[in-house]
Amino acid sequence: MLSRAFQCRDCGGLAGYRSRRRNFVEKYLLPLLLLRPVRCGDCFRRSYRLILVPVRERNEPGVTDSAAA
Ligand SMILES: [Zn+2]
């Protein structure tokens, strides 16, 4: 059965955070499959979850995707 809430498969943590899309697959293919990378806030394991699964925004002050470099 599909779970609507994030739970880490490794440590069972419930705090999921959006993770950066790092490569072609994550940028272009995952969205087509309604998936996105999510990082566990407890053990930092990355995994893919449905975009329907609510996760927290990364909240890092002063850091934006376009301001890197
Ligand atoms: Zn975890």
Side-chain angles (χ1 to χ4, degrees), residues 29-47:
L29 297 186
L30 288 187
L32 298 179
L33 301 174
L34 303 183
L35 293 171
R36 66 183 171 192
V38 177
R39 183 170 54 79
C40 174
D42 290 327
C43 71
F44 304 105
R45 178 192 176 95
R46 286 175 101 246
S47 58

Side-chain angles (χ1 to χ4, degrees), residues 19-24 26-27 37 46:
S19 187
R20 271 185 104 106
R21 293 180 168 88
R22 292 178 175 175
N23 52 42
F24 177 86
E26 295 185 354
K27 281 180 182 174
R46 286 175 101 246

Side-chain angles (χ1 to χ4, degrees), residues 5-18:
F6 175 86
Q7 184 171 22
C8 178
R9 299 170 76 179
D10 229 29
C11 72
L14 299 175
Y17 291 85
R18 288 177 61 166

